[in-house]
Amino acid sequence: MSATTIVVAVWTYMATGSFWQALVWTAVTLIILQAGYFLLFLGLILRRARDATTNQDPVYTPPPLRRDGVWF
């Protein structure tokens, strides 16, 4: 993310010669990268939640090692 931001800042400054325009394009780049990161992270969470609800395999619970004297 840092490398991409630096490349965009330098490239924009060299193409336009304006510090302010390079600053604006760098800020736009940071916003787009952060939004993309957030959406990918959200997708991972939603996919894991979807997989947990669609997987209805019974969970194996082993019996207790010994009883407490209670008869059921």
Side-chain angles (χ1 to χ4, degrees), residues 3-71:
T4 303
T5 305
I6 291 169
V7 167
V8 168
V10 171
W11 186 3
T12 307
Y13 181 73
M14 291 176 65
T16 64
S18 170
F19 172 78
W20 297 110
Q21 207 167 14
L23 186 64
V24 169
W25 277 104
T26 303
V28 168
T29 302
L30 286 170
I31 292 169
I32 290 171
L33 286 171
Q34 191 64 36
Y37 176 76
F38 176 75
L39 290 175
L40 287 173
F41 186 72
L42 187 65
L44 288 173
I45 292 172
L46 292 176
R47 183 182 331 154
R48 187 172 179 129
R50 185 188 67 223
D51 291 346
T53 58
T54 58
N55 188 6
Q56 297 296 328
D57 293 336
V59 177
Y60 172 72
T61 56
L65 296 176
R66 61 187 176 98
R67 299 226 219 230
D68 295 358
V70 180
W71 297 92

